[in-house]
Amino acid sequence: MDSAIQIHVNGQAQTWRSGTTVADLLCDLDIKTEQVAVELNLEILDRAAFGQRLLNDGDRLEILGFIGGGSL
Amino acid sequence: MADDRLIIAGREFKSRLWVGTGKYKDFAETQKAIELSGADVVTVAVRRVNITDRSKENLLDYIDPKKYTILPNTAGCYSVEDAVRYSRLARAAGVSDLVKLEVLGDERTLFPDTAGLIEAAKILIKEGFIVLPYTNDDPIVAQKLVDVGCPAVMPLAAPIGSGLGIRNPYNLKIIMEMIKVPIIVDAGVGTASDAAFAMELGADAVLMNTAIAGAQDPLAMAEAMKYAVHAGRLAYKAGRIPRKLYATASSPIEGML
């Protein structure tokens, strides 16, 4: 079996296969890429880069989208 | 009023009522209320996507970004750094450079931290954002926001969600007279007459969320707000009569017995 990596996705500790790209992760989580922003270790990624960007052990990934809200 | 258009940063808006999307019972109600309000600008918050329950529906499945201008906000941000970070994320998630910039100063009042607001606006405008700042009813701060490049200013009527209505009409009036960009009164409206009053003062638009979503019948209130904003705008354009202390008869004396 491939080696595993430990990463944080939206604050949750998760284990993924090494070699996973951001696009793979979004696909596995059933998240449509056109409606989210992805921040990897505080760097906002271009959508075009999701497919090339490999995840590494210890990465902190944030996936954000639009929700209902006026002013809070 | 066919030519009474609202234009901000080269974009034309049909509606002078802008609405938020929070606090509704469900997305179907959100959608219906927005439709009845006639608003074409809809503000949304930026938050973590639910990664554990993907069966949850998405707001944008109900609010078509082709039909509405989606205006992301930085609600909940209490620092320049957070507001800038959320703005960048909003741009990455969306399709435009628009942001309703909020830098809050205090949890109890949700009043803006205006010094932080101006600083964040400067940073974002340099990065090409179209910054619509949620600010206090302070004409000097409003002018500073324009000076750093904001194409509109959004002063509050009262604290967010308070429903207190227009607490300082005189300051708002001064802002409307002094500031040469569109003024959108944002937050604090409680009922239709508040919205009409804001428009009668000369506001270019009104943005609200809780007044509609929190009403006992949000759909009816959405419609009421549509008419209130329209009526207020018409009255402003029509030009009200001056206030006088004593009566002036509106029927002629001539012809009386």
Side-chain angles (χ1 to χ4, degrees), chain A residues 9-12 14 29-32 34-37 39 42 44 47 62-72, chain B residues 21-22 43-49 51-52 54 58-59 73 75 85 88-90 92-93 100 102 104 110 160 209:
Chain A
V9 183
N10 284 5
Q12 297 178 20
Q14 295 195 347
L29 292 176
D30 192 24
I31 295 168
K32 286 186 221 154
E34 65 268 24
Q35 288 177 349
V36 294
E39 192 189 69
L42 300 180
I44 297 173
R47 247 173 228 148
E62 295 288 351
I63 307 164
L64 295 99
F66 295 131
I67 65 140
S71 310
L72 266 164
Chain B
T21 49
T43 185
V44 298
V46 179
R47 293 292 181 270
R48 279 173 166 166
V49 165
I51 57 167
T52 43
R54 295 303 304 153
N58 187 330
L59 176 67
N73 60 56
R85 184 184 183 192
R88 289 172 180 157
L89 286 162
K100 170 163 121 73
E102 296 184 24
L104 302 174
L110 297 178
I160 292 168
N209 186 354

Side-chain angles (χ1 to χ4, degrees), chain A residues 2-72:
Chain A
D2 293 323
S3 58
I5 52 167
Q6 290 286 334
I7 61 171
H8 278 84
V9 183
N10 284 5
Q12 297 178 20
Q14 295 195 347
T15 306
W16 288 80
R17 193 168 40 78
S18 85
T20 302
T21 65
V22 170
D24 295 335
L25 179 141
L26 291 171
C27 182
D28 281 11
L29 292 176
D30 192 24
I31 295 168
K32 286 186 221 154
T33 56
E34 65 268 24
Q35 288 177 349
V36 294
V38 176
E39 192 189 69
L40 179 58
N41 304 325
L42 300 180
E43 175 205 351
I44 297 173
L45 303 181
D46 276 341
R47 247 173 228 148
F50 290 176
Q52 293 96 59
R53 196 62 180 256
L54 283 169
L55 292 167
N56 295 304
D57 199 49
D59 275 352
R60 303 191 78 89
L61 195 72
E62 295 288 351
I63 307 164
L64 295 99
F66 295 131
I67 65 140
S71 310
L72 266 164

Side-chain angles (χ1 to χ4, degrees), chain B residues 1-172:
Chain B
M1 296 231 303
D3 60 343
D4 187 33
R5 294 174 301 172
L6 172 59
I7 296 170
I8 298 170
R11 290 159 179 265
E12 187 179 328
F13 300 98
K14 286 193 291 287
S15 170
R16 291 176 182 273
L17 172 58
W18 295 10
V19 294
T21 49
K23 299 185 178 174
Y24 286 100
K25 185 178 70 193
D26 52 35
F27 288 146
E29 189 186 63
T30 315
Q31 182 187 52
K32 192 76 191 146
I34 293 170
E35 202 182 310
L36 287 166
S37 77
D40 62 346
V41 180
V42 172
T43 185
V44 298
V46 179
R47 293 292 181 270
R48 279 173 166 166
V49 165
N50 185 336
I51 57 167
T52 43
D53 181 8
R54 295 303 304 153
S55 65
K56 274 197 143 183
E57 290 176 299
N58 187 330
L59 176 67
L60 293 187
D61 295 337
Y62 285 81
I63 314 295
D64 184 359
K66 289 188 201 83
K67 201 168 147 200
Y68 297 99
T69 298
I70 304 295
L71 175 60
N73 60 56
T74 60
C77 292
Y78 286 86
S79 67
V80 172
E81 293 70 30
D82 275 353
V84 168
R85 184 184 183 192
Y86 274 79
S87 298
R88 289 172 180 157
L89 286 162
R91 176 154 75 176
V95 284
S96 83
D97 298 321
L98 279 172
V99 66
K100 170 163 121 73
L101 183 63
E102 296 184 24
V103 182
L104 302 174
D106 167 59
E107 287 185 24
R108 195 161 173 215
T109 59
L110 297 178
F111 279 144
D113 166 359
T114 51
L117 183 67
I118 295 166
E119 199 185 326
K122 261 191 219 168
I123 295 168
L124 292 167
I125 288 163
K126 214 173 277 173
E127 295 180 15
F129 281 89
I130 299 164
V131 176
L132 310 182
Y134 162 69
T135 184
N136 225 319
D137 55 9
D138 179 334
I140 307 303
V141 171
Q143 185 58 57
K144 286 186 178 182
L145 288 163
V146 175
D147 291 344
V148 302
C150 296
V153 179
M154 309 181 78
L156 55 81
I160 292 168
S162 69
L164 287 173
I166 315 292
R167 291 202 313 176
N168 197 340
Y170 304 104
N171 269 34
L172 286 178

